[in-house]
Amino acid sequence: MKKENSAPTMKDVAREAGVALGTVSKVVNGLPVGDSYRLRVEDAIQKLNYQVNSYAQGLKANKTYTIALLIPNTIDPFYASLTYHINIALMKRKYRMLLCTTDFDPLLEQEYVTMAQHNKVDGIIGLTYNPNLIVEENTPFVAIDRSMGPKIPCVACDNFAGGQLAAEKLAELGCKNVAFLRSGSALVNEPNKRKSGFEAGCLSRGLSYEMKIINDGEPYEEFEYFLSEHISNGKLSFDGIFCVTDRLAYLVLHTLHKLNQQVPEDIQLIGFDGIRSFGNIDYHCSTIVQPVPEMAEMCVDLLLRENMMMKPPLVCLPVTYAYGRTTKEI
Amino acid sequence: MKKENSAPTMKDVAREAGVALGTVSKVVNGLPVGDSYRLRVEDAIQKLNYQVNSYAQGLKANKTYTIALLIPNTIDPFYASLTYHINIALMKRKYRMLLCTTDFDPLLEQEYVTMAQHNKVDGIIGLTYNPNLIVEENTPFVAIDRSMGPKIPCVACDNFAGGQLAAEKLAELGCKNVAFLRSGSALVNEPNKRKSGFEAGCLSRGLSYEMKIINDGEPYEEFEYFLSEHISNGKLSFDGIFCVTDRLAYLVLHTLHKLNQQVPEDIQLIGFDGIRSFGNIDYHCSTIVQPVPEMAEMCVDLLLRENMMMKPPLVCLPVTYAYGRTTKEI
C-alpha cells in the first residue's frame, strides 16, 4: 500500500502485485519474466501510478554505469598511464569513471570503498597498499598489484618473470657480478616478486649478486652509501644493476655519474615499468616494460564479469624488455 | 498543472506557486528566500503532493556533486598534473570527478558536454581545442587554456608574461641573438600568447630574434631543418632558444647534441610548463613553470560560483622561472 505523502516505491509495487522485489525490477528493466508475473506487476504499476524514469531505473537496479578508480595520484607516470588506459577501457564499454586520487590516505580509501558499497558506483578498481582496507564481499572490486583476498581478483604484470628477464638480459650483455636495488612497501605485494624472479634468474645464469632492500620512508641515501661502499680503486665491483623501478634507476644513474662510473660502458642498468619521458618520447633507461593497456583492459573485464567463478584471484600479464641507453646494445 | 500519469515536477510547483523555478529550488534546498515566496512554494508543494527525497533532491535541484573533467589524456605530464590537482581541489569540496579523456576527439567531447546538459554532472572543466564544441549557456563550464566565449570563464597561466620572462632571462644570461620555436594548435588560444610575450621581451631588451612556427600535424623535422640552416662553420647563429613547451625543448636538446652544439655553454635553452621527470624529480630543462595547483583551484572555484557576475572571462595566474641545467646558472 502507498503510504501517505510519499511516492510509490518498487517495494510498494511488489507488495501490491504479490511478487518478489526482484520480479518488479526485472519487469521495470525489461528482463525476461513469466507472463502472469509481468501482467500482475504492470497492473500494480498502473494502479499505484508508480513512476519509472531513467534515473530511478538506474538507482533501483543498482546500476550506475560508473566505476571508481582508486589510485594514489596521476603524477607518477605509471599511475598516470594506468588511469588513462582504464579510462579508455571503461569508455569503450560505455561506463564512466570516477577518479579518486588517494595519496595513500587510508581514511580516504575507506571512504571511497564505502561509497561503492552504498551503490553510488557499480564497482571499484583500486591500487592501494592499505592492509586495513575493508571491502565487503559483495562489492565488485579488482585490485592492482596487491592481492586483497581470495574473492578479489588482482591484476599485475608478471613481476617474477620480469625480475628473471632482467637477470637474463644482464647475463646476456656480459655481466658477471650484479646488484638488485629495491625501495617500496614492506607489505606482501606483486612488485616485490621482482626480487625473487631476479634471484632465480641470477642463479640459473650463474651470476653472483647482492641485494640492497629499503622500505618506504627510508632515505634514498642508503643506496648511495651502499654503492660507494662497493667502490675500490675508483671502480664499482658490480657490472650490472637491476633497479625495482625506472624511477629508482633514474636516481641511481645520477648517483653513478657522481661516483664517476660510466653507464653503460662499465655498469649496465635496468629499471622496471617502461616509463617514457613526456609520456611517449624515449625510455628513461633500459627497462622491463609493464603491459599497461592490457592490464587496464583486464581490470575492467574482470570487474564487469557477472560470474564470480570466472574471476581468478591473480592474473599476471607478460612483460617485455626495452633498450633505453643504460645497457649495451645487443 | 500536473499532467495525467506523471509525478509533479519542480516546474509544476513553480507554475502552481507563480514563482520562478529557481525560487522553488532554493526553498527545496533550504536556501534563503523571502517569506511570502517560501509560503507560496510550500503551499504548492503540499497541494501537488510534490515529493522531495535525497536522490530526487539531487536530481531535481540539478545537484549531483559530480564534475566532469574533459582532458585529452593523462599521459602528457602537464595534463596528468592538472588532472591530479583538479581532483584534489574537487575532493576538498566534497565533489566527485568523472574523468573523461578525449584524445581530442570532437565527437567524444560533444558527447560529454551533452551529458552535462542532461544534468548527469553539475558542470564541466574542459581543456579542448575543438572550435565546434557547443556548450549551452546554462551549462556550468570552465575552460582551460582556450577561451570558448564571453560567458565561459577561461583559466590559464599568464602565458604572455611567461614568454616575456623567457626573453628577459635569456638577455640576463648574456644572450644576444635568440630564436623562438613553437608547434601547436593554429586556433586562437592562451599558450599562443607565449610568442607575443617573447617578442615583447626581446624588443624591450634589444635582443634580435627569429621565429619558427609550425602547426599540429607538421613534422618535428621542420625544426631540425631550421636549426641546421642556421649553422655556419659548425656554429649555430643563436645563443639562446625559447621553446613553447618543455617537451619541445627536450626534443630540441637532442637535436642540438646531434648537431654538436653545447648546451648551455654555447646555446641556452628555456622551455615552458615546468615538467619534472617522474612527476617530481628534476626539471627536464630550464623552464617557465605553470602554477598548476593554483590553476586547478581557480577552475574549481569559478565553476562552483553561483554568481555569474563573479565569473570573469579570463583568469591568468603568475608563472615563475626554474633552473634546469639548460641555461647558465645566475
Side-chain angles (χ1 to χ4, degrees):
Chain A
M1 292 300 293
K2 184 171 174 305
K3 283 187 231 100
E4 196 70 58
N5 273 335
S6 77
T9 65
M10 205 183 270
K11 256 189 192 157
D12 299 324
V13 174
R15 207 177 293 122
E16 176 74 26
V19 300
L21 190 59
T23 309
V24 180
S25 168
K26 280 180 184 163
V27 172
V28 163
N29 288 292
L31 297 173
V33 55
D35 268 342
S36 69
Y37 285 105
R38 179 179 310 283
L39 287 171
R40 277 154 69 186
V41 170
E42 284 173 351
D43 283 344
I45 285 176
Q46 203 162 14
K47 184 168 172 198
L48 298 179
N49 192 23
Y50 172 70
Q51 298 302 324
V52 186
N53 65 47
S54 62
Y55 281 118
Q57 203 166 356
L59 296 170
K60 304 288 179 189
N62 288 345
K63 276 281 192 189
T64 61
Y65 296 97
T66 304
I67 299 298
L69 174 66
L70 241 69
I71 197 134
N73 60 64
T74 63
I75 300 286
D76 174 284
F78 174 63
Y79 299 151
S81 177
L82 261 176
T83 300
Y84 176 65
H85 288 288
I86 290 171
N87 199 236
I88 298 285
L90 285 167
M91 291 195 307
K92 264 185 13 196
R93 293 163 174 86
K94 298 284 172 205
Y95 270 75
R96 299 177 297 173
M97 188 183 100
L98 280 182
L99 177 63
C100 312
T101 59
T102 63
D103 266 320
F104 299 104
D105 177 341
L107 286 177
L108 210 50
E109 291 179 334
Q110 191 64 60
E111 203 175 289
Y112 284 127
V113 170
T114 305
M115 177 179 86
Q117 274 153 208
H118 292 165
N119 297 322
K120 288 182 180 168
V121 296
D122 294 352
I124 300 183
I125 297 172
L127 192 156
T128 154
Y129 282 82
N130 173 2
N132 302 315
L133 191 65
I134 298 160
V135 180
E136 276 180 19
E137 243 181 46
N138 57 357
T139 303
F141 196 108
V142 170
I144 302 171
D145 273 357
R146 191 177 70 86
S147 180
M148 291 174 62
K151 297 279 179 84
I152 297 176
C154 173
V155 173
C157 76
D158 193 338
N159 287 281
F160 188 94
Q164 220 169 356
L165 181 57
E168 283 164 8
K169 275 290 156 190
L170 289 175
E172 204 178 314
L173 290 159
C175 295
K176 305 284 179 214
N177 186 25
V178 297
F180 172 65
L181 307 184
R182 197 221 69 160
S183 62
S185 168
L187 280 180
V188 171
N189 62 60
E190 290 303 310
N192 279 351
K193 295 183 182 170
R194 294 170 196 176
K195 170 178 171 288
S196 322
F198 187 69
E199 285 186 282
C202 287
L203 289 171
S204 78
R205 291 300 191 114
L207 281 175
S208 76
Y209 66 91
E210 283 191 48
M211 306 236 169
K212 177 67 186 174
I213 312 275
I214 69 174
N215 291 327
D216 282 340
E218 297 180 80
Y220 171 77
E221 286 66 32
E222 296 277 324
F223 292 123
E224 287 192 336
Y225 183 67
F226 172 79
L227 291 172
S228 46
E229 254 189 329
H230 283 79
I231 291 184
S232 63
N233 300 324
K235 224 180 120 42
L236 191 67
S237 60
F238 308 118
D239 51 10
I241 298 177
F242 172 46
C243 292
V244 72
T245 60
D246 290 344
R247 183 189 164 83
L248 181 58
Y250 180 86
L251 295 170
V252 166
L253 184 62
H254 284 254
T255 298
L256 291 173
H257 286 160
K258 270 207 291 190
L259 296 170
N260 293 313
Q261 305 299 310
Q262 301 303 313
V263 177
E265 295 78 0
D266 303 327
I267 299 137
Q268 300 189 70
L269 195 60
I270 296 182
F272 203 110
D273 284 344
I275 306 300
R276 293 165 184 259
S277 36
F278 295 93
N280 61 1
I281 308 181
D282 43 17
Y283 291 110
H284 284 274
C285 56
S286 296
T287 181
I288 307 298
V289 184
Q290 296 209 50
V292 176
E294 291 78 8
M295 289 165 67
E297 272 290 327
M298 183 58 71
C299 286
V300 171
D301 187 64
L302 286 174
L303 189 70
L304 301 182
R305 276 185 200 171
E306 298 280 344
N307 185 349
M308 268 309 292
M309 300 301 288
M310 298 304 288
K311 296 193 179 198
L314 178 63
V315 178
C316 295
L317 297 171
V319 294
T320 49
Y321 169 79
Y323 168 73
R325 296 179 317 280
T326 56
T327 48
K328 294 175 185 167
E329 290 187 75
I330 306 177
Chain B
M1 292 299 294
K2 186 172 172 298
K3 281 185 232 102
E4 196 69 50
N5 272 336
S6 74
T9 65
M10 204 182 272
K11 256 188 193 159
D12 298 324
V13 174
R15 208 178 293 122
E16 177 73 27
V19 301
L21 191 58
T23 309
V24 180
S25 167
K26 280 180 184 165
V27 172
V28 163
N29 289 290
L31 297 173
V33 55
D35 268 341
S36 70
Y37 285 105
R38 177 179 310 284
L39 287 170
R40 276 155 71 184
V41 170
E42 283 173 350
D43 283 344
I45 285 176
Q46 201 161 16
K47 183 169 173 197
L48 298 179
N49 192 22
Y50 172 69
Q51 299 303 325
V52 186
N53 65 46
S54 64
Y55 277 122
Q57 199 167 359
L59 297 169
K60 305 285 181 192
N62 291 343
K63 278 283 192 188
T64 60
Y65 295 97
T66 306
I67 299 298
L69 174 66
L70 242 71
I71 198 136
N73 60 65
T74 62
I75 300 286
D76 175 283
F78 174 62
Y79 299 151
S81 175
L82 261 177
T83 300
Y84 175 65
H85 289 288
I86 290 171
N87 199 237
I88 297 284
L90 285 167
M91 290 194 308
K92 262 185 14 192
R93 292 164 176 85
K94 298 284 173 205
Y95 271 74
R96 299 177 298 172
M97 188 183 100
L98 279 182
L99 178 63
C100 312
T101 59
T102 63
D103 267 321
F104 300 102
D105 178 343
L107 286 177
L108 210 51
E109 291 179 333
Q110 192 63 61
E111 203 175 288
Y112 284 126
V113 170
T114 305
M115 177 179 86
Q117 275 153 207
H118 292 166
N119 298 323
K120 289 181 180 168
V121 295
D122 293 353
I124 300 183
I125 297 172
L127 192 157
T128 152
Y129 282 82
N130 173 2
N132 301 315
L133 191 65
I134 299 160
V135 180
E136 277 180 19
E137 242 181 47
N138 56 357
T139 303
F141 196 108
V142 170
I144 301 170
D145 273 357
R146 191 176 70 85
S147 180
M148 291 174 63
K151 297 280 181 82
I152 297 177
C154 172
V155 173
C157 75
D158 192 338
N159 287 280
F160 188 93
Q164 221 168 356
L165 181 56
E168 283 163 8
K169 275 289 158 191
L170 289 175
E172 202 177 316
L173 290 159
C175 295
K176 304 285 180 212
N177 187 23
V178 298
F180 172 65
L181 308 184
R182 195 220 71 160
S183 63
S185 167
L187 280 179
V188 172
N189 62 60
E190 291 303 310
N192 279 351
K193 295 183 183 170
R194 295 170 194 175
K195 170 179 171 287
S196 321
F198 187 69
E199 286 186 282
C202 287
L203 289 171
S204 78
R205 291 300 191 112
L207 282 176
S208 76
Y209 65 90
E210 282 191 48
M211 308 235 167
K212 178 66 186 174
I213 312 275
I214 70 174
N215 291 327
D216 282 340
E218 296 180 79
Y220 171 76
E221 285 67 32
E222 297 275 323
F223 292 123
E224 289 193 334
Y225 183 69
F226 172 79
L227 291 172
S228 46
E229 255 189 328
H230 283 79
I231 290 183
S232 62
N233 301 324
K235 223 179 120 41
L236 191 66
S237 61
F238 308 118
D239 50 12
I241 298 178
F242 172 45
C243 292
V244 74
T245 61
D246 290 345
R247 183 190 163 81
L248 182 58
Y250 180 86
L251 295 169
V252 166
L253 185 61
H254 284 253
T255 299
L256 291 172
H257 286 158
K258 268 206 294 191
L259 296 170
N260 293 313
Q261 305 300 311
Q262 302 302 314
V263 176
E265 295 79 359
D266 303 327
I267 300 138
Q268 301 188 69
L269 195 60
I270 296 181
F272 203 110
D273 283 344
I275 306 299
R276 292 165 185 260
S277 35
F278 295 93
N280 61 0
I281 310 182
D282 44 16
Y283 292 110
H284 285 274
C285 56
S286 296
T287 180
I288 307 298
V289 184
Q290 296 209 50
V292 176
E294 290 78 7
M295 288 164 68
E297 271 291 326
M298 184 56 72
C299 286
V300 171
D301 187 66
L302 286 174
L303 190 70
L304 301 182
R305 276 185 199 172
E306 298 278 343
N307 185 350
M308 269 309 293
M309 300 302 288
M310 299 305 288
K311 296 195 180 197
L314 177 62
V315 177
C316 295
L317 298 170
V319 294
T320 49
Y321 169 77
Y323 169 73
R325 297 180 316 280
T326 57
T327 48
K328 294 174 185 166
E329 292 188 73
I330 305 177

